Amino acid sequence: MVESKELLLETCLLAGKIMMENGSEVYRVEDTMNRIAANTGEAGSISYVTATGIFMGLRSSHYAQVENVHDRVINLEKIVAVNRLSREYAAKELSLSALHDALKEVNQTTPSFSFPLQVLSAGIVSSTLMIIFGGRWFDFVPTFLIGSIGFLIAIWVKKKIDIRFLDMFCASLVIGSLAILAVQLQLANNVDNLIIGAVMPLVPGVAITNSFRDILAGHLISGMARGTEAIFTAAAIGVGIATIFTLVGGIS
């Protein structure tokens, strides 16, 4: 009985951690964890989810566990996989131990998009949004290249240096430098259009959206934490662009 309760808590926390680390909203995480517990016979479970930690306990016993949430990325494939496994468990197609093993496999083996495809997509997003925001087709290819390079720099810095928001700062610094250089070499017309388009893959749109959804759902702490993180990310991008303009203005 003790082992089953411990396994239940571990399974619920693992499901919640996977969802939180990959872009899910807090209310969806709590709902999934509570449903897994209810389908195991623990309808009185208590869960408390924040942007950096998950807490869960069972009213029928004194067992409670805490799980840290470290990285926060966007991988909807993992969220879909957790939801699918939760529904299969509710339909009695999986045992609790099988659900736990399946969640571990999802967390370790669920593929993401390949790195070249991510870079290519960043370039496409940059150039198409530049056109939508009023840019000219002459700037399409430079924006595509600058957006791809900026996204590449962000990923590289994040892997090499474990400092939050430094990747966004460095990427925007490179984007601003390349945009100014492209205009000076007459490879593009408008610096503003290049920069606006190229920084779009870096903008924390999902974090901002989830922040508002959490706040509207009553999860004020998580919503404010995510909102603060999104603000700092946007600030890092803005400071990077402002820095390169300041340096260029000082040199000229």
Side-chain angles (χ1 to χ4, degrees), residues 1-11 40 58 96:
M1 187 66 177
V2 173
E3 291 183 357
S4 64
K5 291 182 181 294
E6 290 181 350
L7 180 60
L8 172 59
L9 288 175
E10 290 178 4
T11 303
T40 313
L58 304 176
L96 183 61

Side-chain angles (χ1 to χ4, degrees), residues 19 28 32 78-88:
M19 296 181 73
R28 194 184 304 276
T32 299
K78 289 188 177 183
I79 297 176
V80 170
V82 171
N83 287 332
R84 174 178 54 80
L85 291 172
S86 175
R87 288 192 293 269
E88 291 178 359

Side-chain angles (χ1 to χ4, degrees), residues 20-33:
M20 278 301 295
E21 288 185 342
N22 291 279
S24 181
E25 304 91 333
V26 168
Y27 72 87
R28 194 184 304 276
V29 175
E30 289 187 346
D31 180 68
T32 299
M33 294 169 62

Side-chain angles (χ1 to χ4, degrees), residues 130 136-144 187-190 193-194:
M130 182 272 298
R136 297 184 178 181
W137 286 102
F138 183 75
D139 295 335
F140 187 90
V141 174
T143 306
F144 175 90
L187 299 176
N189 285 329
N190 193 298
N193 290 338
L194 294 179

Side-chain angles (χ1 to χ4, degrees), residues 6-251:
E6 290 181 350
L7 180 60
L8 172 59
L9 288 175
E10 290 178 4
T11 303
C12 292
L13 289 171
L14 179 58
K17 180 178 181 180
I18 294 172
M19 296 181 73
M20 278 301 295
E21 288 185 342
N22 291 279
S24 181
E25 304 91 333
V26 168
Y27 72 87
R28 194 184 304 276
V29 175
E30 289 187 346
D31 180 68
T32 299
M33 294 169 62
N34 292 333
R35 285 179 183 273
I36 293 175
N39 290 323
T40 313
E42 295 287 347
S45 62
I46 305 171
S47 60
Y48 181 69
V49 179
T50 69
T52 56
I54 302 174
F55 307 80
M56 188 166 190
L58 304 176
R59 292 186 185 275
S60 63
S61 67
H62 298 292
Y63 293 107
Q65 289 189 20
V66 180
E67 185 67 62
N68 289 328
V69 176
H70 299 288
D71 296 327
R72 285 173 294 279
V73 298
I74 305 299
N75 189 340
L76 300 183
E77 288 289 336
K78 289 188 177 183
I79 297 176
V80 170
V82 171
N83 287 332
R84 174 178 54 80
L85 291 172
S86 175
R87 288 192 293 269
E88 291 178 359
Y89 181 66
K92 308 301 181 183
E93 298 176 7
L94 293 173
S95 64
L96 183 61
S97 59
L99 174 61
H100 184 264
D101 293 339
L103 287 171
K104 286 206 277 190
E105 184 177 357
V106 164
N107 197 30
Q108 296 172 358
T109 63
T110 300
S112 182
F113 293 108
S114 65
F115 183 68
L117 182 57
Q118 292 182 44
V119 175
L120 176 64
S121 300
I124 294 174
V125 168
S126 300
S127 53
T128 52
L129 287 178
M130 182 272 298
I131 296 296
I132 292 174
F133 290 148
R136 297 184 178 181
W137 286 102
F138 183 75
D139 295 335
F140 187 90
V141 174
T143 306
F144 175 90
L145 295 175
I146 294 172
S148 299
I149 294 172
F151 184 81
L152 180 65
I153 293 296
I155 298 297
W156 183 82
V157 172
K158 186 175 182 179
K159 288 183 177 180
K160 295 295 182 180
I161 306 175
D162 189 18
I163 299 178
R164 299 285 294 178
F165 312 114
L166 182 63
D167 53 342
M168 297 292 108
F169 173 79
C170 293
S172 60
L173 200 67
V174 171
I175 287 172
S177 302
L178 293 177
I180 293 173
L181 181 62
V183 172
Q184 290 179 345
L185 295 177
Q186 297 184 350
L187 299 176
N189 285 329
N190 193 298
V191 172
D192 294 338
N193 290 338
L194 294 179
I195 293 176
I196 290 173
V199 300
M200 281 300 136
L202 308 179
V203 174
V206 175
I208 295 173
T209 302
N210 285 348
S211 172
F212 278 103
R213 294 188 69 174
D214 286 342
I215 291 174
L216 293 176
H219 300 282
L220 301 181
I221 295 177
S222 296
M224 293 299 293
R226 279 183 165 173
T228 301
E229 184 178 22
I231 290 173
F232 273 96
T233 301
I237 296 172
V239 169
I241 297 298
T243 300
I244 192 60
F245 273 110
T246 302
L247 293 176
V248 171
I251 295 175

